[in-house]
Amino acid sequence: MSSSVLEAREERWAKKIALARDLAADSSGRPSSLAVLTLRMPAFLRISGRFSPNALSMHASFVALLRKRGIGILREEFRTSGDGPESYISVSLDPLELKRLAIEWETTHPLGDLADLDVMDASSKPITRSDLGFPPRKCLICENEAAVCSAGQRHEAAIIEARINQILLASEKTDRAVDSAIGRLALTATLYEATAAPKPGLVDPLSPGAHGDMDYLTFLASAAALGPWFSEFAKLGRLHKGQPRDLLPALREAGKFAERDMFAATGGVNTHKGLIFSMGLLCAAAGRLQAAGRSPDPAACVSEAAAIVRGISERDFALLEPRAAAAAVSIGSRAAAAGAPAVQGAARGLGAATGNPEAVADNPAAASAHTPTVGERLYLAYGVRGIRGEAEDGFPAVIDHALPRLKAGLAAGLSWNDAMIDSLFVLFTTVDDTNVLGRAGREGLNFLRAGAGRVLMLGGMTTPDGRGAIQAMDKLLVERNISPGGCADLLALTVFLELLATAGDAAAGGASATAGTSAAGGATAAGGATAAGGATAPSSA
Amino acid sequence: MEIRKSATAGTLESSDVLVTVAPGSGPGVEFKVESIVIKQFGKRIRSVTEEVIAATGIKNAAIHVQDRGALECTLRARLETAIARAAESA
């Protein structure tokens, strides 16, 4: 054993005793204790640096577990000494309870076998597994006590190293399963939204709405192309270690590739450009929550997403100001030529913030070479921040309006389809949909709102009058070339947040059963209930 | 080497050992061994301890070995360090 390792251990020991003394000095009278996490592997591996990222994520995961249990954390520190990575966590908790949580974490975390979580009370006394009646820990290789094998060096270093690699691989597989679970729910939500009918002005299985260049199958092909990307966004979120806002460039980069795949799948039609941005963002947010050991409830997801995009509209739109006049003219001419490729290409983009890397460039020369996205042009013309603003504000239209309506509808026994359509109409009445603004101006938006308000007053999907009004509205919107694609995207986000929250720990644990079940159940409902009402549900599988 | 004061080396962490060396009451060296692997390695720990005591030539000392499954080389190093620290002038 090298002397630097032995010295580093003595230093750690002295630090532990000093921290315990700090706990004892606190006169609040509350119980307190200290946990210290180190890597459980031979010293040559511990100090190799190879496992430092794992040690940091183990530390974060244990701290997250403590927070989840409502335990007050007095102090935490992660550092690397001559004996490898080590972390110190002082908490307001009885030492035996802390040891119990430490054992729980060691037993349940995919990398728990590679960590030693030592617990000490305020009098510097180590709490052991036997204090709680637990047997000694087992060796990584065989069924014997770990202490016996390690003291006697019973296994060759190469065999231990191979076993550790195996544990890491298994853990990565679990992580990937979580990414996939998040991506699958995002894809499910995208398909639910596409399938929900009738959606006035929008593409659904019954009608292509106000679109001549795409239909329901185009949306299915597009969704299929995006499924793997949603998992990729979740992975980017999960792996990101720094500040939330530093994640955005990587998401935009991935977003460009997702767009490329979307266009390839749709033959060049923009079906989901806006959704790639907003759903990608929420997937990344869910991935980050997962990495922090937090449950992906809707409020946590949207606030994480908002943190990632904080300041985005100020940054993106600031570059546009000098060209405002010219761009406003171009909006007018394009709006007049509704149906022309430029406008159709923007059909569903609620101001896609993906795929415009120039927009984040700091120098004006680069900015002036940039062709504004729909969202940027609409900001210039109407001052609306579109999907950027919605994301920055934590998706208030979703959290405050659409999601409560969806939940209420489902709780009242509505089919997924009908609950989604009602939720969509709530969005129609509250959102400044840049797709509508782009194609039909402020007047079109007012028309949509008035119609949607009337539908909701008549009872929406729950009454024959409401359903009749929805049918009539479809015709009117098509005539006026109004397609509220921004609202449709927000509906998909709403569905995603609901699925994610209800799949909950199943998704977080990498299990697929819950997600799969709810997907199948919902698909039946979505496919079945249409405006015709009472149409029998086609079997979903 | 003369033991002048009480000193320790090591820790009570897994795979380590805490050795305490203090001036003794009698002419010889008495030592006490505790270990979580006493059944498997008790004999070895005692013989290593005796070896180090003999090699350093100390007398009049009380040594307490609290082993948490340390490697033999770790035990040896901790014993030597504790004895050296206890032999420094107070």
Short mmCIF file of all heavy atoms in Angstrom, two decimals, chain A residues 417-478:
data_model
loop_
_atom_site.label_atom_id
_atom_site.label_comp_id
_atom_site.label_asym_id
_atom_site.label_seq_id
_atom_site.Cartn_x
_atom_site.Cartn_y
_atom_site.Cartn_z
N ASN A 417 -59.33 10.20 -26.00
CA ASN A 417 -59.58 11.06 -27.17
C ASN A 417 -60.37 12.31 -26.79
O ASN A 417 -59.97 13.43 -27.11
CB ASN A 417 -60.34 10.27 -28.24
CG ASN A 417 -60.54 11.11 -29.48
OD1 ASN A 417 -59.63 11.30 -30.27
ND2 ASN A 417 -61.74 11.66 -29.64
N ASP A 418 -61.50 12.09 -26.10
CA ASP A 418 -62.37 13.23 -25.81
C ASP A 418 -61.72 14.18 -24.80
O ASP A 418 -61.83 15.40 -24.93
CB ASP A 418 -63.72 12.73 -25.29
CG ASP A 418 -64.50 12.00 -26.39
OD1 ASP A 418 -63.93 11.85 -27.50
OD2 ASP A 418 -65.63 11.58 -26.14
N ALA A 419 -61.00 13.61 -23.83
CA ALA A 419 -60.32 14.46 -22.86
C ALA A 419 -59.25 15.30 -23.55
O ALA A 419 -59.05 16.48 -23.23
CB ALA A 419 -59.70 13.61 -21.75
N MET A 420 -58.58 14.71 -24.53
CA MET A 420 -57.54 15.45 -25.28
C MET A 420 -58.17 16.58 -26.10
O MET A 420 -57.64 17.69 -26.15
CB MET A 420 -56.74 14.51 -26.19
CG MET A 420 -55.71 13.67 -25.46
SD MET A 420 -54.52 12.87 -26.60
CE MET A 420 -55.52 11.60 -27.30
N ILE A 421 -59.27 16.29 -26.76
CA ILE A 421 -59.89 17.32 -27.61
C ILE A 421 -60.37 18.50 -26.75
O ILE A 421 -60.15 19.67 -27.09
CB ILE A 421 -61.07 16.72 -28.44
CG1 ILE A 421 -60.55 15.66 -29.40
CG2 ILE A 421 -61.80 17.82 -29.20
CD1 ILE A 421 -59.56 16.15 -30.44
N ASP A 422 -60.99 18.20 -25.62
CA ASP A 422 -61.42 19.29 -24.73
C ASP A 422 -60.23 20.11 -24.26
O ASP A 422 -60.27 21.33 -24.18
CB ASP A 422 -62.19 18.73 -23.53
CG ASP A 422 -63.63 18.39 -23.89
OD1 ASP A 422 -64.04 18.70 -25.04
OD2 ASP A 422 -64.35 17.84 -23.04
N SER A 423 -59.16 19.40 -23.95
CA SER A 423 -57.94 20.07 -23.49
C SER A 423 -57.37 20.95 -24.61
O SER A 423 -56.91 22.07 -24.37
CB SER A 423 -56.94 18.98 -23.09
OG SER A 423 -55.79 19.54 -22.56
N LEU A 424 -57.46 20.47 -25.84
CA LEU A 424 -56.99 21.25 -27.00
C LEU A 424 -57.79 22.54 -27.14
O LEU A 424 -57.23 23.60 -27.43
CB LEU A 424 -57.10 20.40 -28.27
CG LEU A 424 -56.67 21.04 -29.58
CD1 LEU A 424 -55.18 21.36 -29.58
CD2 LEU A 424 -57.00 20.14 -30.77
N PHE A 425 -59.09 22.45 -26.90
CA PHE A 425 -59.93 23.66 -27.02
C PHE A 425 -59.61 24.68 -25.94
O PHE A 425 -59.68 25.88 -26.17
CB PHE A 425 -61.42 23.29 -27.05
CG PHE A 425 -61.87 22.98 -28.44
CD1 PHE A 425 -61.65 21.73 -29.00
CD2 PHE A 425 -62.46 23.96 -29.23
CE1 PHE A 425 -62.01 21.45 -30.31
CE2 PHE A 425 -62.83 23.70 -30.54
CZ PHE A 425 -62.62 22.44 -31.08
N VAL A 426 -59.23 24.18 -24.76
CA VAL A 426 -58.80 25.10 -23.71
C VAL A 426 -57.54 25.83 -24.18
O VAL A 426 -57.40 27.04 -23.99
CB VAL A 426 -58.55 24.33 -22.40
CG1 VAL A 426 -57.84 25.22 -21.40
CG2 VAL A 426 -59.87 23.82 -21.83
N LEU A 427 -56.64 25.10 -24.85
CA LEU A 427 -55.43 25.74 -25.40
C LEU A 427 -55.80 26.78 -26.46
O LEU A 427 -55.23 27.87 -26.50
CB LEU A 427 -54.48 24.68 -25.98
CG LEU A 427 -53.76 23.81 -24.95
CD1 LEU A 427 -53.11 22.60 -25.62
CD2 LEU A 427 -52.71 24.62 -24.20
N PHE A 428 -56.78 26.45 -27.32
CA PHE A 428 -57.21 27.40 -28.36
C PHE A 428 -57.60 28.75 -27.74
O PHE A 428 -57.35 29.79 -28.32
CB PHE A 428 -58.43 26.86 -29.13
CG PHE A 428 -58.13 25.72 -30.08
CD1 PHE A 428 -59.18 24.99 -30.65
CD2 PHE A 428 -56.83 25.39 -30.43
CE1 PHE A 428 -58.93 23.95 -31.54
CE2 PHE A 428 -56.56 24.34 -31.32
CZ PHE A 428 -57.61 23.63 -31.86
N THR A 429 -58.23 28.67 -26.57
CA THR A 429 -58.74 29.92 -25.99
C THR A 429 -57.66 30.73 -25.27
O THR A 429 -57.88 31.88 -24.94
CB THR A 429 -59.88 29.65 -24.97
OG1 THR A 429 -59.35 28.85 -23.91
CG2 THR A 429 -61.05 28.95 -25.61
N THR A 430 -56.49 30.11 -24.98
CA THR A 430 -55.52 30.83 -24.16
C THR A 430 -54.19 31.15 -24.84
O THR A 430 -53.47 32.03 -24.38
CB THR A 430 -55.18 30.02 -22.89
OG1 THR A 430 -54.81 28.70 -23.29
CG2 THR A 430 -56.35 29.95 -21.95
N VAL A 431 -53.86 30.42 -25.91
CA VAL A 431 -52.50 30.54 -26.48
C VAL A 431 -52.46 31.51 -27.66
O VAL A 431 -53.38 31.52 -28.48
CB VAL A 431 -52.01 29.14 -26.94
CG1 VAL A 431 -50.66 29.23 -27.63
CG2 VAL A 431 -51.95 28.19 -25.76
N ASP A 432 -51.41 32.33 -27.74
CA ASP A 432 -51.14 33.12 -28.95
C ASP A 432 -50.43 32.20 -29.93
O ASP A 432 -49.21 32.20 -30.02
CB ASP A 432 -50.20 34.30 -28.64
CG ASP A 432 -50.94 35.47 -28.04
OD1 ASP A 432 -52.18 35.57 -28.22
OD2 ASP A 432 -50.29 36.29 -27.36
N ASP A 433 -51.19 31.42 -30.65
CA ASP A 433 -50.59 30.40 -31.51
C ASP A 433 -49.92 31.06 -32.72
O ASP A 433 -50.59 31.66 -33.57
CB ASP A 433 -51.66 29.41 -31.97
CG ASP A 433 -51.07 28.18 -32.64
OD1 ASP A 433 -50.09 28.34 -33.41
OD2 ASP A 433 -51.58 27.08 -32.39
N THR A 434 -48.60 30.94 -32.81
CA THR A 434 -47.89 31.63 -33.89
C THR A 434 -48.19 31.00 -35.26
O THR A 434 -48.00 31.65 -36.28
CB THR A 434 -46.37 31.63 -33.64
OG1 THR A 434 -45.94 30.32 -33.31
CG2 THR A 434 -46.00 32.58 -32.51
N ASN A 435 -48.63 29.74 -35.25
CA ASN A 435 -49.02 29.14 -36.53
C ASN A 435 -50.25 29.85 -37.10
O ASN A 435 -50.36 30.10 -38.29
CB ASN A 435 -49.36 27.66 -36.36
CG ASN A 435 -48.13 26.82 -36.25
OD1 ASN A 435 -47.53 26.78 -35.19
ND2 ASN A 435 -47.73 26.20 -37.33
N VAL A 436 -51.19 30.14 -36.19
CA VAL A 436 -52.40 30.83 -36.62
C VAL A 436 -52.06 32.27 -37.02
O VAL A 436 -52.50 32.75 -38.07
CB VAL A 436 -53.45 30.81 -35.48
CG1 VAL A 436 -54.70 31.58 -35.90
CG2 VAL A 436 -53.79 29.37 -35.11
N LEU A 437 -51.26 32.92 -36.20
CA LEU A 437 -50.86 34.29 -36.51
C LEU A 437 -50.15 34.35 -37.86
O LEU A 437 -50.39 35.25 -38.66
CB LEU A 437 -49.91 34.83 -35.42
CG LEU A 437 -50.58 35.34 -34.14
CD1 LEU A 437 -49.52 35.61 -33.08
CD2 LEU A 437 -51.39 36.61 -34.42
N GLY A 438 -49.30 33.38 -38.11
CA GLY A 438 -48.51 33.38 -39.34
C GLY A 438 -49.37 33.23 -40.58
O GLY A 438 -49.08 33.80 -41.62
N ARG A 439 -50.43 32.44 -40.47
CA ARG A 439 -51.24 32.16 -41.66
C ARG A 439 -52.48 33.04 -41.76
O ARG A 439 -52.96 33.32 -42.86
CB ARG A 439 -51.65 30.69 -41.68
CG ARG A 439 -50.48 29.81 -42.08
CD ARG A 439 -50.65 28.33 -41.79
NE ARG A 439 -51.86 27.71 -42.24
CZ ARG A 439 -51.92 26.51 -42.82
NH1 ARG A 439 -50.81 25.85 -43.07
NH2 ARG A 439 -53.06 25.99 -43.15
N ALA A 440 -53.00 33.45 -40.62
CA ALA A 440 -54.28 34.18 -40.66
C ALA A 440 -54.29 35.45 -39.83
O ALA A 440 -55.33 36.08 -39.67
CB ALA A 440 -55.41 33.25 -40.22
N GLY A 441 -53.16 35.79 -39.28
CA GLY A 441 -53.05 37.07 -38.56
C GLY A 441 -53.84 37.11 -37.26
O GLY A 441 -54.41 36.11 -36.82
N ARG A 442 -53.86 38.30 -36.68
CA ARG A 442 -54.53 38.51 -35.40
C ARG A 442 -56.02 38.19 -35.52
O ARG A 442 -56.63 37.62 -34.62
CB ARG A 442 -54.29 39.97 -34.99
CG ARG A 442 -54.67 40.39 -33.59
CD ARG A 442 -54.14 39.54 -32.49
NE ARG A 442 -52.80 39.87 -32.01
CZ ARG A 442 -52.23 39.25 -30.96
NH1 ARG A 442 -52.89 38.29 -30.30
NH2 ARG A 442 -51.02 39.56 -30.59
N GLU A 443 -56.57 38.53 -36.69
CA GLU A 443 -57.99 38.29 -36.93
C GLU A 443 -58.30 36.80 -36.88
O GLU A 443 -59.30 36.37 -36.28
CB GLU A 443 -58.35 38.87 -38.31
CG GLU A 443 -59.82 38.96 -38.59
CD GLU A 443 -60.07 39.15 -40.08
OE1 GLU A 443 -59.16 39.64 -40.79
OE2 GLU A 443 -61.17 38.78 -40.53
N GLY A 444 -57.42 36.01 -37.48
CA GLY A 444 -57.59 34.56 -37.47
C GLY A 444 -57.54 34.01 -36.05
O GLY A 444 -58.31 33.12 -35.68
N LEU A 445 -56.64 34.57 -35.27
CA LEU A 445 -56.49 34.12 -33.89
C LEU A 445 -57.76 34.43 -33.10
O LEU A 445 -58.26 33.60 -32.33
CB LEU A 445 -55.27 34.80 -33.26
CG LEU A 445 -54.78 34.22 -31.93
CD1 LEU A 445 -54.38 32.76 -32.07
CD2 LEU A 445 -53.60 35.03 -31.41
N ASN A 446 -58.29 35.63 -33.29
CA ASN A 446 -59.52 36.01 -32.59
C ASN A 446 -60.68 35.12 -33.00
O ASN A 446 -61.51 34.74 -32.17
CB ASN A 446 -59.86 37.49 -32.88
CG ASN A 446 -58.86 38.43 -32.23
OD1 ASN A 446 -58.19 38.05 -31.27
ND2 ASN A 446 -58.75 39.64 -32.77
N PHE A 447 -60.72 34.80 -34.27
CA PHE A 447 -61.77 33.92 -34.77
C PHE A 447 -61.70 32.55 -34.10
O PHE A 447 -62.70 31.99 -33.66
CB PHE A 447 -61.63 33.79 -36.30
CG PHE A 447 -62.68 32.94 -36.93
CD1 PHE A 447 -63.95 33.45 -37.18
CD2 PHE A 447 -62.41 31.62 -37.26
CE1 PHE A 447 -64.93 32.65 -37.76
CE2 PHE A 447 -63.40 30.81 -37.83
CZ PHE A 447 -64.65 31.33 -38.08
N LEU A 448 -60.46 32.03 -34.02
CA LEU A 448 -60.25 30.72 -33.39
C LEU A 448 -60.69 30.75 -31.93
O LEU A 448 -61.39 29.85 -31.45
CB LEU A 448 -58.77 30.34 -33.48
CG LEU A 448 -58.36 29.08 -32.72
CD1 LEU A 448 -58.91 27.83 -33.41
CD2 LEU A 448 -56.85 28.97 -32.60
N ARG A 449 -60.30 31.80 -31.23
CA ARG A 449 -60.62 31.90 -29.80
C ARG A 449 -62.11 31.96 -29.56
O ARG A 449 -62.64 31.30 -28.67
CB ARG A 449 -59.98 33.15 -29.22
CG ARG A 449 -58.51 32.95 -29.04
CD ARG A 449 -57.96 34.00 -28.13
NE ARG A 449 -56.56 33.69 -27.91
CZ ARG A 449 -55.67 34.57 -27.50
NH1 ARG A 449 -56.03 35.81 -27.28
NH2 ARG A 449 -54.43 34.19 -27.32
N ALA A 450 -62.76 32.77 -30.36
CA ALA A 450 -64.21 32.92 -30.19
C ALA A 450 -64.90 31.58 -30.43
O ALA A 450 -65.76 31.16 -29.64
CB ALA A 450 -64.74 33.98 -31.16
N GLY A 451 -64.49 30.90 -31.50
CA GLY A 451 -65.09 29.60 -31.81
C GLY A 451 -64.84 28.59 -30.71
O GLY A 451 -65.73 27.83 -30.32
N ALA A 452 -63.60 28.57 -30.22
CA ALA A 452 -63.24 27.60 -29.19
C ALA A 452 -64.00 27.88 -27.90
O ALA A 452 -64.47 26.95 -27.22
CB ALA A 452 -61.73 27.65 -28.93
N GLY A 453 -64.15 29.16 -27.57
CA GLY A 453 -64.90 29.52 -26.37
C GLY A 453 -66.34 29.03 -26.46
O GLY A 453 -66.91 28.52 -25.51
N ARG A 454 -66.90 29.18 -27.65
CA ARG A 454 -68.28 28.74 -27.88
C ARG A 454 -68.40 27.22 -27.71
O ARG A 454 -69.31 26.71 -27.06
CB ARG A 454 -68.70 29.15 -29.29
CG ARG A 454 -70.19 29.19 -29.52
CD ARG A 454 -70.51 29.70 -30.92
NE ARG A 454 -71.17 28.66 -31.72
CZ ARG A 454 -72.45 28.34 -31.56
NH1 ARG A 454 -73.20 28.96 -30.67
NH2 ARG A 454 -72.99 27.39 -32.31
N VAL A 455 -67.43 26.49 -28.28
CA VAL A 455 -67.44 25.02 -28.17
C VAL A 455 -67.41 24.60 -26.70
O VAL A 455 -68.16 23.72 -26.27
CB VAL A 455 -66.22 24.42 -28.94
CG1 VAL A 455 -65.97 22.99 -28.51
CG2 VAL A 455 -66.45 24.50 -30.45
N LEU A 456 -66.54 25.25 -25.93
CA LEU A 456 -66.42 24.86 -24.52
C LEU A 456 -67.70 25.20 -23.75
O LEU A 456 -68.12 24.44 -22.88
CB LEU A 456 -65.21 25.56 -23.88
CG LEU A 456 -63.84 25.04 -24.36
CD1 LEU A 456 -62.70 25.88 -23.79
CD2 LEU A 456 -63.64 23.57 -24.01
N MET A 457 -68.32 26.34 -24.10
CA MET A 457 -69.57 26.71 -23.43
C MET A 457 -70.66 25.69 -23.70
O MET A 457 -71.50 25.42 -22.85
CB MET A 457 -70.03 28.09 -23.91
CG MET A 457 -69.30 29.20 -23.20
SD MET A 457 -70.27 30.70 -22.95
CE MET A 457 -71.48 30.70 -24.22
N LEU A 458 -70.62 25.12 -24.89
CA LEU A 458 -71.64 24.13 -25.27
C LEU A 458 -71.34 22.74 -24.68
O LEU A 458 -72.10 21.81 -24.87
CB LEU A 458 -71.74 24.03 -26.80
CG LEU A 458 -72.34 25.26 -27.49
CD1 LEU A 458 -72.18 25.15 -29.00
CD2 LEU A 458 -73.82 25.41 -27.12
N GLY A 459 -70.20 22.63 -23.97
CA GLY A 459 -69.90 21.34 -23.33
C GLY A 459 -68.84 20.53 -24.03
O GLY A 459 -68.55 19.40 -23.63
N GLY A 460 -68.23 21.06 -25.08
CA GLY A 460 -67.13 20.36 -25.75
C GLY A 460 -67.53 18.96 -26.18
O GLY A 460 -68.63 18.76 -26.72
N MET A 461 -66.65 18.01 -25.97
CA MET A 461 -66.88 16.64 -26.43
C MET A 461 -67.94 15.92 -25.60
O MET A 461 -68.33 14.81 -25.94
CB MET A 461 -65.57 15.85 -26.41
CG MET A 461 -64.55 16.28 -27.45
SD MET A 461 -65.11 16.03 -29.15
CE MET A 461 -64.83 14.26 -29.34
N THR A 462 -68.38 16.53 -24.50
CA THR A 462 -69.31 15.80 -23.63
C THR A 462 -70.78 15.97 -24.06
O THR A 462 -71.64 15.27 -23.55
CB THR A 462 -69.18 16.25 -22.16
OG1 THR A 462 -69.49 17.65 -22.10
CG2 THR A 462 -67.77 16.01 -21.63
N THR A 463 -71.04 16.90 -24.98
CA THR A 463 -72.44 17.09 -25.38
C THR A 463 -72.58 17.03 -26.90
O THR A 463 -71.65 17.36 -27.63
CB THR A 463 -72.97 18.48 -24.95
OG1 THR A 463 -72.23 19.49 -25.66
CG2 THR A 463 -72.80 18.70 -23.44
N PRO A 464 -73.76 16.63 -27.38
CA PRO A 464 -74.00 16.62 -28.84
C PRO A 464 -73.83 18.03 -29.44
O PRO A 464 -73.26 18.17 -30.52
CB PRO A 464 -75.45 16.16 -28.96
CG PRO A 464 -75.74 15.43 -27.69
CD PRO A 464 -74.90 16.08 -26.62
N ASP A 465 -74.29 19.07 -28.73
CA ASP A 465 -74.14 20.44 -29.23
C ASP A 465 -72.67 20.81 -29.37
O ASP A 465 -72.25 21.43 -30.36
CB ASP A 465 -74.82 21.44 -28.29
CG ASP A 465 -76.34 21.43 -28.47
OD1 ASP A 465 -76.80 20.73 -29.41
OD2 ASP A 465 -77.03 22.09 -27.67
N GLY A 466 -71.90 20.45 -28.36
CA GLY A 466 -70.47 20.75 -28.38
C GLY A 466 -69.80 20.06 -29.56
O GLY A 466 -69.02 20.67 -30.30
N ARG A 467 -70.11 18.80 -29.73
CA ARG A 467 -69.49 18.05 -30.83
C ARG A 467 -69.93 18.61 -32.18
O ARG A 467 -69.14 18.70 -33.11
CB ARG A 467 -69.84 16.56 -30.72
CG ARG A 467 -69.15 15.87 -29.53
CD ARG A 467 -69.21 14.35 -29.66
NE ARG A 467 -70.57 13.82 -29.62
CZ ARG A 467 -71.21 13.48 -28.51
NH1 ARG A 467 -70.61 13.60 -27.33
NH2 ARG A 467 -72.45 13.02 -28.55
N GLY A 468 -71.17 19.02 -32.25
CA GLY A 468 -71.66 19.63 -33.49
C GLY A 468 -70.90 20.91 -33.80
O GLY A 468 -70.50 21.15 -34.96
N ALA A 469 -70.67 21.72 -32.76
CA ALA A 469 -69.96 22.98 -32.97
C ALA A 469 -68.52 22.72 -33.40
O ALA A 469 -67.95 23.48 -34.19
CB ALA A 469 -69.98 23.80 -31.67
N ILE A 470 -67.93 21.65 -32.89
CA ILE A 470 -66.55 21.31 -33.28
C ILE A 470 -66.51 20.97 -34.77
O ILE A 470 -65.63 21.42 -35.51
CB ILE A 470 -66.01 20.14 -32.43
CG1 ILE A 470 -65.81 20.60 -30.97
CG2 ILE A 470 -64.69 19.62 -33.00
CD1 ILE A 470 -65.46 19.48 -30.01
N GLN A 471 -67.49 20.18 -35.20
CA GLN A 471 -67.56 19.81 -36.63
C GLN A 471 -67.67 21.05 -37.51
O GLN A 471 -66.98 21.18 -38.52
CB GLN A 471 -68.78 18.90 -36.89
CG GLN A 471 -68.65 17.50 -36.34
CD GLN A 471 -67.62 16.66 -37.10
OE1 GLN A 471 -66.89 17.18 -37.93
NE2 GLN A 471 -67.56 15.38 -36.79
N ALA A 472 -68.57 21.94 -37.10
CA ALA A 472 -68.79 23.16 -37.88
C ALA A 472 -67.51 24.00 -37.92
O ALA A 472 -67.17 24.59 -38.96
CB ALA A 472 -69.94 23.96 -37.28
N MET A 473 -66.81 24.02 -36.81
CA MET A 473 -65.61 24.83 -36.72
C MET A 473 -64.52 24.32 -37.66
O MET A 473 -63.76 25.11 -38.23
CB MET A 473 -65.10 24.79 -35.28
CG MET A 473 -64.25 25.97 -34.92
SD MET A 473 -63.96 25.93 -33.16
CE MET A 473 -62.35 26.66 -33.13
N ASP A 474 -64.43 23.01 -37.79
CA ASP A 474 -63.42 22.42 -38.66
C ASP A 474 -63.54 23.03 -40.06
O ASP A 474 -62.56 23.47 -40.65
CB ASP A 474 -63.62 20.90 -38.72
CG ASP A 474 -62.49 20.21 -39.47
OD1 ASP A 474 -61.35 20.73 -39.42
OD2 ASP A 474 -62.74 19.17 -40.09
N LYS A 475 -64.78 23.08 -40.56
CA LYS A 475 -65.02 23.59 -41.90
C LYS A 475 -64.59 25.07 -42.03
O LYS A 475 -63.92 25.45 -42.97
CB LYS A 475 -66.51 23.46 -42.22
CG LYS A 475 -66.77 23.12 -43.68
CD LYS A 475 -68.24 22.78 -43.90
CE LYS A 475 -68.68 23.26 -45.27
NZ LYS A 475 -69.63 24.35 -45.25
N LEU A 476 -64.97 25.83 -41.00
CA LEU A 476 -64.66 27.27 -41.03
C LEU A 476 -63.15 27.52 -40.97
O LEU A 476 -62.63 28.40 -41.65
CB LEU A 476 -65.35 27.97 -39.85
CG LEU A 476 -66.88 28.02 -39.94
CD1 LEU A 476 -67.49 28.51 -38.64
CD2 LEU A 476 -67.30 28.92 -41.11
N LEU A 477 -62.46 26.75 -40.16
CA LEU A 477 -61.01 26.94 -40.05
C LEU A 477 -60.32 26.57 -41.35
O LEU A 477 -59.38 27.25 -41.79
CB LEU A 477 -60.43 26.13 -38.89
CG LEU A 477 -60.83 26.54 -37.47
CD1 LEU A 477 -60.01 25.78 -36.44
CD2 LEU A 477 -60.69 28.03 -37.24
N VAL A 478 -60.77 25.49 -41.97
CA VAL A 478 -60.17 25.09 -43.24
C VAL A 478 -60.38 26.19 -44.28
O VAL A 478 -59.44 26.56 -45.00
CB VAL A 478 -60.76 23.74 -43.73
CG1 VAL A 478 -60.27 23.42 -45.14
CG2 VAL A 478 -60.38 22.61 -42.77
#
